[in-house]
Amino acid sequence: MTEDELFDLLTAVEERVPTADKPDRFEREADDLEQGEYGRASLLLAAGEHWQMRRSYADARRCFGEALADGGEAASDPIGNLLSLALDEGDRDAADGFDAHLRQLARTDSVSATSCHLVAEAYERHGDLRRALRWCNIPFTHVDPFDDPIDDLLLVDRRRIREALGLAPDQLDLMAPTK
């Protein structure tokens, strides 16, 4: 599967498949691919996210675990999804363990901006704005935000969280697109 084919498949399922059927459909599509094949982990993560939205946490955990075991390339690290799930379930110890694991990856610039966004949103959703802000800042650790391309979504999230914390705008906040 190519990157374009994966994008088209993810988009088609999101746009055309009834909400109740999406997680099963993503899983069936993943089952059609070999372990490690490009797209399989992404499809499992999509299925898990839909299970999580439906509060079918055991199914979500299974999908995220399969994506992690798959080892294939995905936009986000399944550990970030597991952290989000742990927060939804109220398992702070597990969330802290996943957070520590991801921070270790971040120290070597081995965590994607997509993962940082996912984790920041999870913390924000659960009212932990300080940790949410940390995850919005992590992608800027290894880049010069004035020279390198920046994820606009992270900038918007970062500004919103900083405002909620009562912090004065900084240079990155001024770079965030406005609505």
Side-chain angles (χ1 to χ4, degrees), residues 156 159-160 176-179:
V156 170
R159 181 181 61 208
R160 182 183 62 250
T178 57
K179 294 181 183 181

Side-chain angles (χ1 to χ4, degrees), residues 22-31 44 47 51 62-63:
K22 287 179 184 180
D24 289 321
R25 176 68 182 274
F26 281 128
E27 285 193 66
R28 281 196 311 274
E29 295 291 344
D31 288 344
L44 289 166
W51 286 124
R62 177 181 46 78
C63 288

